[in-house]
Amino acid sequence: MLQCEDRLKDKKVLITGGGGGLGFNMAKKLVQSGAKVAICGRNEEKLKNASSQLDNCPYFKFDVCSFTSYKEVLEKANLALGGGLNCLINNAGISLHEPSFEDVTLETFDQQFNTNLKAPYFLSQEFVKYVINQNIQNANILFVTSERGLYCDILPYGLTKAAISSLTAGLSRRYVTKGIRIN
């Protein structure tokens, strides 16, 4: 039986929001476990710093709200990792911490829905197409959510996390037969 960390040795992983916080710590653990990792995010300085701490893993300045660039970033990551990109971690997210329902604006609503739901939805769609077209076996998509997604909410952040939980369950049932594990 493989040890948990041994299961990561053949993984080639792209992490959105990988320059800091949870994304950086996931990247660090994956690199320590033998996975090849590429990180992306909006802040190039943070990405450079993270890359230097992660055995100079490849990084890309990339805003997940660049909705027409998903195929390009997947191709870049695939090339940088030596082919066979088989794992996507949708980690990038924002919370604008509005104090109340009355304080939510169209702009803050759209920012959070675009970053937290629309971006991982369509990036994952492009990743699924890539995996199927390249006949990648044992692919994985991980959506990072929050306990806020488990409860009724009236603020955009919580609503997006509840939607991600629903999306994850729906996609996992749809693609398990194609060899794509989604959590």
Side-chain angles (χ1 to χ4, degrees):
M1 177 174 227
L2 288 175
Q3 293 294 326
C4 184
E5 291 185 358
D6 291 338
R7 295 179 190 165
L8 300 173
K9 284 187 179 167
D10 294 326
K11 293 297 178 188
K12 295 184 179 182
V13 184
L14 174 62
I15 303 175
T16 66
L22 187 56
F24 171 78
N25 285 297
M26 286 188 286
K28 184 176 179 181
K29 181 65 175 174
L30 287 162
V31 167
Q32 290 170 348
S33 299
K36 291 184 179 178
V37 177
I39 56 175
C40 63
R42 294 183 294 191
N43 184 319
E44 189 162 11
E45 197 58 41
K46 280 177 73 174
L47 291 167
K48 261 188 218 179
N49 184 42
S51 172
S52 70
Q53 294 178 58
L54 299 169
D55 296 331
N56 293 309
C57 77
Y59 70 88
F60 310 100
K61 185 175 181 202
F62 174 69
D63 183 344
V64 293
C65 292
S66 298
F67 302 116
T68 60
S69 302
Y70 294 152
K71 186 174 183 176
E72 180 184 329
V73 78
L74 292 174
E75 288 172 354
K76 276 184 179 180
N78 185 54
L79 185 62
L81 296 172
L85 175 66
N86 58 9
C87 187
L88 170 65
I89 299 179
N90 288 298
N91 172 66
I94 60 169
S95 175
L96 299 179
H97 306 289
E98 300 95 340
S100 73
F101 176 74
E102 292 84 8
D103 295 302
V104 176
T105 67
L106 285 171
E107 183 180 301
T108 62
F109 185 94
D110 286 346
Q111 283 179 303
Q112 290 170 94
F113 267 78
N114 284 344
T115 302
N116 299 351
L117 180 60
K118 186 176 180 180
Y121 183 100
F122 286 103
L123 181 57
S124 295
Q125 181 187 68
E126 194 63 44
F127 182 76
V128 165
K129 290 177 188 176
Y130 156 80
V131 165
I132 292 170
N133 289 338
Q134 297 295 316
N135 197 29
I136 303 292
Q137 302 300 307
N138 300 314
N140 299 275
I141 300 174
L142 177 67
F143 291 94
V144 176
T145 187
S146 164
E147 68 178 6
R148 291 275 300 268
L150 301 174
Y151 307 103
C152 296
D153 208 329
I154 58 172
L155 297 178
Y157 178 79
L159 295 170
T160 63
K161 295 307 179 174
I164 285 293
S165 294
S166 179
L167 174 63
T168 302
L171 288 176
S172 67
R173 285 191 300 274
R174 170 73 172 91
Y175 288 101
V176 68
T177 59
K178 300 211 183 273
I180 305 171
R181 185 176 62 196
I182 302 171
N183 294 308

